[in-house]
Each structure stands twice: as structure tokens, then as C-alpha cells.
């Protein structure tokens, strides 16, 4: 998924229906450096698998405060 993908403008968090932000890996890809969609309001991230956002409520993961700060720094505008 690319940061200019028009789909990003219409995707919403399944829990609060608010906008999501694309977070791209800043280093080698791994389980903790995969592309995700992030909801900073609820501190929840949703995986993007093979370019397809996984937006079921159960697919989301709660992040810690440290992870939240890291994700905020890596969010695309």
C-alpha cells in the first residue's frame, strides 16, 4: 500500500469509525516492522497483509505507550 493510495481516504477504524494512518517500516521488515494502519486515538494497529488491510475488530492489536510513540513518529501524513 502506498501513502498516496486513494483507498486511505475512505478506510476507517472498525471500532470508532475514525481515520486510520499508514505506517511504513523504517528498517528491515519483520513482525514488528510490517506495514500497518494505525488509530492513534485508540492506540490500535491493524496489519496490512500483501497490500490488503485487515480491518476486522479482532485483527487489531492494542499497542503499548512506547510503541505508540514510535508509530506516531513513523506515520505518513
Amino acid at each position: 500500500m502506498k501513502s498516496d493510495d486513494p483507498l486511505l481516504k475512505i478506510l476507517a477504524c472498525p471500532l470508532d469509525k475514525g481515520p486510520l494512518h499508514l505506517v511504513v517500516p523504517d528498517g528491515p521488515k519483520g513482525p514488528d516492522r510490517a506495514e500497518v494502519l494505525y488509530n492513534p486515538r485508540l492506540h490500535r494497529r491493524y496489519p496490512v497483509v500483501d497490500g490488503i488491510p485487515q480491518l476486522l475488530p479482532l485483527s487489531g492489536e492494542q499497542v503499548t505507550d512506547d510503541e505508540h510513540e514510535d508509530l506516531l513518529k513513523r506515520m505518513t501524513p
Side-chain angles (χ1 to χ4, degrees):
M1 181 168 260
K2 296 182 180 177
S3 61
D4 61 349
D5 191 325
L7 185 62
L8 286 173
K9 293 183 177 163
I10 60 171
L11 290 178
C13 175
L15 299 177
D16 74 356
K17 311 302 186 232
L20 295 167
H21 302 274
L22 180 64
V23 178
V24 294
D26 62 352
K29 283 195 177 184
D32 60 333
R33 291 292 182 203
E35 192 174 61
V36 297
L37 291 170
Y38 187 57
N39 178 341
R41 299 168 307 283
L42 299 179
H43 293 217
R44 290 187 69 81
R45 68 176 163 217
Y46 297 91
V48 177
V49 179
D50 295 326
I52 301 170
Q54 308 297 306
L55 294 178
L56 294 173
L58 293 176
S59 297
E61 298 176 320
Q62 196 72 30
V63 301
T64 65
D65 289 336
D66 290 338
E67 289 173 309
H68 171 72
E69 292 301 320
D70 180 53
L71 289 166
L72 287 178
K73 292 176 192 170
R74 295 178 19 221
M75 279 184 358
T76 59

